[in-house]
Amino acid sequence: MTRTAERWISLAVFVGLILFWQLLSRIYTAEIIPGVPLVPGWDVLVSRTFLSMADYWGGGLGVASVGEGAERSYAAAALSVVTHSWDTLLRLYVGLAIGAIGGTALGLAISWSVWSRRLIGLPMQLIQGLPLLAMVPLFQLWFGTYFIGKIAFIGYGVGVLFVAGTLNAVRNVPQIYIDNALTLGASKLEVYRTIIIPAIFPELRATILLSLGVAWATVIGAEYLGAQSGLGYILVYSQQYGYVDRMFFVALLFIVYASISYAVFNRVSARLTRWVPRASAPARVA
Amino acid sequence: MTDSSQGKPNDITFTDVTRTFVRGDGQEVTAVDGVSAHIREGEFVCLVGPSGCGKTTLLQMVSGLLPTSGGAITVGAKQVTGPGPDRGVVFQKDSVFPWFRVIDNVEYGMKRRGVPAAERRDIANRYLELVSLSHVARAWPKELSGGMLKRVAIATVFANGSDVLLLDEPFAALDYVTKHQLHDVLLDLWRSTDAPRRTILFVTHDVDESLLLADRIIVIRDGRLVDDIAIDATRPRDVDTLTRPDMMTVKHKLLAHLGLEHGSRRSAAS
C-alpha cells in the first residue's frame, strides 16, 4: 500500500470517529447533572464547555476573571487553556528531560564496572519495585506541592525506566564494536562516548516512547493530588462537580499534545537513527 | 613504535604462551599450550589449524583483548598487557561502526590518537582510494556490501598506522571472487607501504589462502605449535603458483596437519 493511500485511510478513520461520537451524543442523551450530558457532542464541547474553561482563568492581561465578577468570555477561556496547558507541559518536559538524562547517566554509570554495579545496581533494583503512583504523597511531603515536587516525581518515574532501558541496551551492544574501538586506541571513556551511546540509542527508542506515556500519567497524577494549576487541576475540579464535558475536553487536549509529542519525537529519532539498517521508515506510533 | 635494543619495533615474540579456560561444567581446558615463536619484522605469517585449535585465541592474546594464562608476548620491546593502536585487528565479523559514515570510520583511530583533523582526513582519503572506495566515503555502512565493509576495516587499520596487523579469518564469510580481490588489496597495501613493512599475523583455516599470502605458515593443533613452514614462492602468486611441485608438497603437508590425508596423520602429530 502506498504512503498516500495509508494517509487517506487514517484520515477516514479519524473523521469516522468524530462522526461516531456526534451520533452517539444524539442517541444517548442522559445527563449526569442538569445541562451536562454524559456524552457531550461537538456542538456542546466547542461552545459551552470551552467557554466554561474561563472559570479557571485567574485574571490579568486585561481580561477579567469570573471570580472578579466578569462574564465568561472566549478570551478568558482561551487564556485559561493556554496557561494551564503551559504549566502542565512545562512540568512534563522538564521532568521528562531530567528523568531521561539522569536515568541514562545512572544506567551508564552502573554498567561501567563491577563495583558500580554492586554499589548502585542493587539499590536501584529495590527502588524500581516501588509502585509509582503510591509515591505521590511521599514526594509531596518531601519536595512540596510546587514545581520542584512535581518535576522530581516525574523525573523519578521516567528515570527508573531509563535506568532499566539503558542497562539492557548496554548489555546488547555487540562486543565486536567495543573490541574494535579498543584495538584502534580508544580509552574506556571514549568507548562510552563513541560506541556505547550511539549503539544504545535505537534500543532506547522503546524506552523513550514508554516514558512519554509514564510522564503524562505522572504529571497528571501529581497535579491530581495537589496543584493550583495545570490540566490535572482542572480535571480534579471538574470531577468534583460532575462536569463530564470539561473532563472530556481536557482529555482531548491530552490527545492533541501527546500526538504532537510523538510526531516530533518520530521526526527527531528518524534523523538520529538514519544509520540503522531498515530504519528509514520508523514504526509510527502517533 | 618503541625504542628497543633487542627486538625490532614490530617483531613479535611468543615465550611459552599458555591460555586456559574453565568450561561451563567446571573442567579446565587448555586452548593454547606452551607456544614459543618469533615473528620477524615485516613478515606475513599465516596461522593455520583445524577449527578449535587455538589459533584465534593466540591472535586475541597478541591483540591484548584476551590476557595470557602463562608466558609472555612481546611486540617490539614491549610486553603485551592490553589492546593498543600499535596492533591493529581485522575481525571476521563486521566491525565497521554503523553509526559513523565510512570516512569517519577510517579516521576513528587517528582521531583517538589526536591526529589533526586535516591530516587525518588526507590519510583516510588516501587509504580509501587505495582500497577503491573513494566514491562511498560519505556513505553509511549499511549501504555497503560485505566485501566493501572488509575494505573499510582494512583501510581503517592501515590508516591508523599500526606496526602489527592481526587478521582473524577476515575473509572467511566472503564469496570466492571477493575473497581473491581482497587478497590483492591486502597484499598491495602491505607491499606498498613505506618501510618498515608491517608485520602481519593472519589466521585462516583455508590452506590455499595461506599458500597465496604467507611468507611463512605456522600450524597450530590442539593449542600447540606443530609446524613452521617457510614459503619461498615469489609474488605475485596465482593459481599456477599453487600447482608448482614445491607448493603441492607444502599443501599436502598442511592437509595432513588438518587431518584430511590418510597415512600422514600420525606422523604429523609428533
Side-chain angles (χ1 to χ4, degrees):
Chain A
M1 198 182 294
T2 65
R3 209 126 172 208
T4 341
E6 266 183 49
R7 290 237 166 112
W8 279 109
I9 289 173
S10 302
L11 189 68
V13 170
F14 185 67
V15 172
L17 275 174
I18 290 175
L19 291 176
F20 171 76
W21 184 255
Q22 189 63 17
L23 192 66
L24 197 66
S25 73
R26 286 290 167 276
I27 296 166
Y28 190 78
T29 51
E31 295 184 337
I32 183 164
I33 47 171
V36 179
L38 267 172
V39 182
W42 300 107
D43 48 332
V44 177
L45 285 168
V46 298
S47 57
R48 214 190 56 217
T49 306
F50 179 68
L51 209 51
S52 68
M53 289 295 136
D55 292 359
Y56 311 105
W57 172 240
L61 295 174
V63 180
S65 70
V66 174
E68 290 162 348
E71 283 286 300
R72 283 176 181 172
S73 69
Y74 278 101
L79 281 169
S80 168
V81 168
V82 168
T83 52
H84 285 287
S85 297
W86 167 256
D87 280 353
T88 296
L89 290 171
L90 188 69
R91 289 165 189 153
L92 178 86
Y93 284 109
V94 172
L96 189 65
I98 289 173
I101 294 167
T104 306
L106 201 56
L108 290 173
I110 293 171
S111 74
W112 181 266
S113 73
V114 179
W115 270 105
S116 63
R117 254 190 295 279
R118 285 178 191 151
L119 290 174
I120 328 173
L122 181 70
M124 275 312 299
Q125 267 180 8
L126 296 177
I127 290 172
Q128 276 172 8
L130 295 169
L132 193 57
L133 290 178
M135 300 294 286
V136 178
L138 189 60
F139 267 77
Q140 283 179 345
L141 291 174
W142 277 347
F143 298 103
T145 54
Y146 302 103
F147 187 65
I148 295 294
K150 285 180 191 63
I151 61 161
F153 180 62
I154 300 159
Y156 157 75
V158 168
V160 162
L161 276 181
F162 269 86
V163 170
T166 302
L167 276 176
N168 191 49
V170 171
R171 260 196 296 274
N172 290 340
V173 175
Q175 185 65 36
I176 190 162
Y177 296 138
I178 299 167
D179 285 349
N180 194 25
L182 289 172
T183 59
L184 287 169
S187 66
K188 192 171 182 183
L189 195 65
E190 284 171 331
V191 168
Y192 265 78
R193 198 165 54 77
T194 61
I195 308 298
I196 305 276
I197 291 177
I200 63 175
F201 185 77
E203 215 172 323
L204 278 184
R205 263 182 58 94
T207 303
I208 295 168
L209 289 175
L210 210 61
S211 71
L212 275 173
V214 168
W216 273 108
T218 46
V219 72
I220 300 305
E223 287 178 351
Y224 200 88
L225 282 166
Q228 298 309 311
S229 70
L231 297 174
Y233 160 75
I234 297 181
L235 215 52
V236 180
Y237 192 88
S238 307
Q239 188 226 3
Q240 282 167 355
Y241 294 93
Y243 296 147
V244 174
D245 61 329
R246 299 187 193 186
M247 293 167 72
F248 190 78
F249 185 82
V250 171
L252 285 176
L253 288 178
F254 288 157
I255 292 173
V256 170
Y257 297 142
S259 299
I260 294 171
S261 311
Y262 284 132
V264 168
F265 169 73
N266 274 339
R267 268 288 167 85
V268 173
S269 93
R271 175 156 180 86
L272 285 175
T273 58
R274 69 208 144 125
W275 53 270
V276 179
R278 286 175 283 108
S280 48
R284 276 179 295 279
V285 285
Chain B
M1 294 264 178
T2 44
D3 51 323
S4 86
S5 44
Q6 69 228 80
K8 294 264 195 167
N10 48 0
D11 65 343
I12 309 170
T13 312
F14 297 91
T15 315
D16 204 20
V17 174
T18 301
R19 173 70 206 193
T20 52
F21 290 102
V22 178
R23 254 196 338 228
D25 57 7
Q27 196 111 37
E28 199 176 74
V29 187
T30 305
V32 174
D33 191 1
V35 169
S36 293
H38 180 248
I39 315 289
R40 286 178 293 279
E41 177 184 42
E43 231 177 356
F44 196 131
V45 176
C46 278
L47 290 175
V48 177
S51 172
C53 71
K55 53 192 191 299
T56 292
T57 308
L58 200 59
L59 196 81
Q60 284 182 326
M61 289 192 287
V62 183
S63 73
L65 291 169
L66 196 70
T68 56
S69 306
I73 299 171
T74 313
V75 173
K78 219 165 60 184
Q79 189 170 332
V80 172
T81 52
D86 56 325
R87 287 150 287 133
V89 183
V90 178
F91 299 85
Q92 182 185 349
K93 288 194 280 182
D94 286 336
S95 59
V96 174
F97 307 129
W99 48 86
F100 292 136
R101 292 177 190 274
V102 167
I103 185 88
D104 297 320
N105 262 285
V106 179
E107 286 182 31
Y108 184 86
M110 293 186 280
K111 196 170 178 182
R112 303 283 85 77
R113 290 188 295 112
V115 177
E119 191 186 336
R120 64 171 191 257
R121 182 115 316 189
D122 280 350
I123 296 173
N125 276 322
R126 199 170 72 230
Y127 278 101
L128 276 177
E129 201 176 329
L130 287 171
V131 298
S132 320
L133 285 183
S134 295
H135 61 297
V136 291
R138 298 285 303 155
W140 294 105
K142 69 170 175 182
E143 295 156 344
L144 271 53
S145 68
M148 289 163 106
L149 287 175
K150 273 285 154 346
R151 287 171 193 254
V152 175
I154 290 170
T156 304
V157 287
F158 270 94
N160 201 25
S162 314
D163 302 322
V164 172
L165 300 184
L166 310 167
L167 297 94
D168 185 8
E169 303 192 33
F171 311 140
L174 300 177
D175 64 87
Y176 185 83
V177 176
T178 311
K179 183 189 256 195
H180 282 80
Q181 288 170 343
L182 283 167
H183 287 159
D184 292 339
V185 166
L186 179 62
L187 286 175
D188 285 348
L189 278 175
W190 175 62
R191 279 146 57 91
S192 73
T193 43
D194 310 330
R197 192 172 279 182
R198 296 151 202 248
T199 311
I200 294 187
L201 213 52
F202 189 108
V203 166
T204 180
H205 53 247
D206 181 335
V207 169
D208 283 347
E209 184 171 56
S210 69
L211 290 170
L212 278 172
L213 296 176
D215 290 327
R216 185 177 160 197
I217 298 174
I218 289 177
V219 184
I220 310 283
R221 242 175 63 180
D222 300 327
R224 288 202 179 84
L225 193 159
V226 293
D227 210 346
D228 191 338
I229 308 162
I231 308 294
D232 303 318
T234 50
R235 292 192 167 87
R237 300 172 191 162
D238 53 23
V239 275
D240 292 333
T241 318
L242 294 182
T243 58
R244 279 172 27 176
D246 56 328
M247 292 297 261
M248 287 306 287
T249 311
V250 176
K251 183 165 179 175
H252 281 295
K253 216 167 158 186
L254 291 172
L255 289 174
H257 281 306
L258 294 174
L260 289 174
E261 291 207 343
H262 295 289
S264 45
R265 194 180 298 183
R266 211 161 283 137
S267 64
S270 60

